[in-house]
Amino acid sequence: MKKTPSFDYNEEFEEQLLTEEELDKVKAKSFINLMSEMFLKYESEIKKSIIAD
């Protein structure tokens, strides 16, 4: 799944100014969002593989 490049300069500046702990939280939130999107996209395939086992 490709992620579109971010051209939001405010977001880029905020990331540069974050502490390492805050940046970890932002990355974790991004990861959770990505996993949620993937689960919704592949939900039917996941159900099939769980039921088949």
Side-chain angles (χ1 to χ4, degrees):
M1 179 177 221
K2 287 187 177 180
K3 201 171 188 181
T4 56
S6 174
F7 295 111
D8 184 9
Y9 291 109
N10 290 330
E11 183 179 320
E12 292 294 326
F13 289 135
E14 282 180 25
E15 283 187 15
Q16 291 176 8
L17 296 173
L18 293 176
T19 65
E20 189 170 334
E21 183 179 333
E22 292 169 331
L23 188 57
D24 287 343
K25 289 179 183 180
V26 170
K27 288 179 180 179
K29 190 182 297 185
S30 176
F31 175 75
I32 291 171
N33 287 337
L34 176 64
M35 292 301 293
S36 299
E37 288 175 14
M38 288 179 63
F39 179 77
L40 292 174
K41 184 175 181 178
Y42 297 108
E43 181 180 9
S44 61
E45 293 178 33
I46 294 171
K47 283 182 181 179
K48 287 179 189 176
S49 66
I50 292 173
I51 293 172
D53 292 341

